[in-house]
Amino acid sequence: MEFDALFTAQLDALKEEGNYRIFAELERRCGQFPTARSHDDEAPDEVTVWCSNDYLGMGQHPAVIQAMKETVDSCGTGAGGTRNISGTNYHHVRLEAELADLHGKEAALLFTSGYVSNWAALSTLGSRLPDCVILSDALNHASMIEGIRHSRARKIIWKHNDPEDLDRKLAALPANAPKIVAFESVYSMDGDICPMAEIVEVAEKHGAMTYLDEVHAVGLYGSRGGGISEREGLADRITLIEGTLGKAFGCMGGYITGSRALCDFIRSFASGFIFTTALPPAVAAAAQTSIAHLKTSQVERMRQRRQVARLRAMLDARGIPHLDNPSHIIPVMIKDPVKCRMLADILMREYGIYVQPINYPTVPKGTERLRFTPSPLHSDADIDRLVEALTVLWKQCAIAHQVA
Ligand SMILES: *Cc1c(COP(=O)(O)O)cnc(C)c1O
């Protein structure tokens, strides 16, 4: 039991800083997103979720639900093994073909999550390519950072979204060493989008591979939901595109796409792919249905864009400061962990509005924020109620207004 003192000492330090994490216990209700039941004693029974990564509400789309149910009935629950030992199901193979097609690549490879796909792919590439150097954007996601670290390859961090800095850093490296430029399209905390054409150009100039995380863009951007690389017509110039099935596609799992040889290489050498049970076939079937739907349907994306624009315009009208960005993510900056938590608590308890405070280490200290993600299923009335609540709180708490 004396070990517990070691744990609580560090937890107490977190609490003191205001960075201790408290999870909201919710019960999602199928057919009623973004409404959920709250199990928090101090909150109303029904709350509106404003921070979900189920960006388009596909987690309750009838066709996706039906695919999952039917596949549970036909295949049962689990995959029954790793991909190599009895776990490869027809539905995994079909999903991989769907993903390869989504990004216009020869092949795709599934993982149990987006985190695992980044971790496994980058650690395998970095460790198995002799003298490999990985050039990582300064704001890359933890899953990429951990994958690169685990690879023990040489790592160079370039300034966030700065192709000139990348160019200088690439130019200083030996011409014959394999180089990987790792970056994201939509950065989920600031909602900014990378200058992809410039980055690709610089990478090509130096003969470097490009490794692109499109986790916050797949399903949402491009006319088939192929992400920013599709929208910009750059997918065929990116070596590897990585994504998740857990955000806009409303299911679970991660993947990479690229050339047949690249995917075969990761399939054959990545520990994080080989030694773990395959996704349940029902999850694969549901994800495949969701992707296929969003390849042709534009209504979810259009309606989401409308609601995002509406919330932004209303915040502007009330002088509530939010980061200006070209994506679907609306960060309202609070810049103090204790205030951020307090505002989120009041919104939840007094207004039934759920937005998780985003604190360190997810974002740097001093940049704490509330991060809103309007979906096509948030009504105009939901937006009105949110803005009304924020306006009252801004007055009560005397948080800086921007000049409207
Ligand atoms: C969420 C996230 C991941 C991980 O995806 P999961 O499927 O949730 O594991 C990877 N990259 C970025 C940028 C993310 O935000």
Side-chain angles (χ1 to χ4, degrees), residues 98-343:
E98 190 78 78
L99 288 163
D101 174 77
L102 175 66
H103 295 292
K105 299 291 186 193
E106 287 174 359
L109 195 63
L110 271 176
F111 295 82
T112 46
S113 76
Y115 186 103
V116 172
S117 66
N118 271 333
W119 186 88
L122 280 166
S123 59
T124 303
L125 290 166
S127 63
R128 296 205 75 102
L129 299 177
D131 303 318
C132 177
V133 183
I134 302 178
L135 296 103
S136 179
D137 182 284
L139 291 190
N140 273 345
H141 188 257
S143 54
M144 283 197 267
I145 296 170
E146 292 298 333
I148 295 166
R149 182 152 71 173
H150 186 73
S151 79
R152 300 195 182 175
R154 184 171 165 205
K155 162 172 156 176
I156 295 174
I157 295 172
W158 47 288
K159 273 193 210 141
H160 176 57
N161 278 351
D162 187 339
E164 283 171 24
D165 189 50
L166 175 64
D167 189 21
R168 276 190 297 275
K169 287 184 163 141
L170 276 167
L173 292 172
N176 56 353
K179 304 168 197 80
I180 301 172
V181 173
F183 63 115
E184 301 179 24
S185 55
V186 176
Y187 287 82
S188 72
M189 289 303 141
D190 287 351
D192 54 336
I193 297 179
C194 76
M196 198 176 292
E198 285 96 321
I199 292 169
V200 168
E201 210 139 286
V202 168
E204 285 175 347
K205 178 174 124 188
H206 297 282
M209 294 197 310
T210 37
Y211 184 110
L212 174 63
D213 177 319
E214 287 257 42
V215 161
H216 290 276
V218 288
L220 302 172
Y221 298 91
S223 61
R224 299 198 319 151
I228 302 293
S229 57
E230 184 201 354
R231 189 185 76 181
E232 310 285 311
L234 292 165
D236 61 340
R237 290 166 67 188
I238 308 276
T239 317
L240 183 155
I241 297 175
E242 182 271 346
T244 185
L245 307 171
K247 290 171 184 170
F249 293 129
C251 297
M252 185 180 182
Y255 65 89
I256 60 164
T257 61
S259 70
R260 203 164 284 118
L262 169 60
C263 292
D264 202 20
F265 178 77
I266 305 294
R267 184 185 75 93
S268 305
F269 292 115
S271 167
F273 175 82
I274 297 171
F275 296 106
T276 192
T277 301
L279 285 173
V283 171
Q288 189 265 323
T289 303
S290 181
I291 296 161
H293 176 85
L294 290 174
K295 275 181 182 171
T296 54
S297 176
Q298 307 299 331
V299 285
E300 292 85 3
R301 285 187 279 271
M302 281 167 55
R303 168 92 183 157
Q304 183 207 30
R305 253 159 240 167
R306 178 190 183 273
Q307 298 313 71
V308 169
R310 191 164 191 279
L311 176 56
R312 274 212 179 94
M314 289 185 65
L315 291 174
D316 284 341
R318 303 296 180 96
I320 295 169
H322 55 98
L323 280 188
D324 188 20
N325 68 48
S327 76
H328 60 285
I329 293 161
I330 307 181
V332 170
M333 305 306 286
I334 310 300
K335 302 182 179 175
D336 179 274
V338 177
K339 241 186 213 174
C340 199
R341 152 69 51 198
M342 186 189 72
L343 282 167

Side-chain angles (χ1 to χ4, degrees), residues 54-126:
D54 186 359
Y55 291 128
L56 299 175
M58 293 303 286
Q60 62 170 39
H61 191 283
V64 179
I65 294 167
Q66 193 193 343
M68 192 177 279
K69 281 183 177 163
E70 278 176 2
T71 314
V72 168
D73 285 341
S74 63
C75 297
T77 54
T82 62
R83 287 293 295 272
N84 188 43
I85 307 178
S86 93
T88 294
N89 192 283
Y90 160 74
H91 294 286
H92 299 123
V93 178
R94 216 167 133 227
L95 172 55
E96 285 174 339
E98 190 78 78
L99 288 163
D101 174 77
L102 175 66
H103 295 292
K105 299 291 186 193
E106 287 174 359
L109 195 63
L110 271 176
F111 295 82
T112 46
S113 76
Y115 186 103
V116 172
S117 66
N118 271 333
W119 186 88
L122 280 166
S123 59
T124 303
L125 290 166

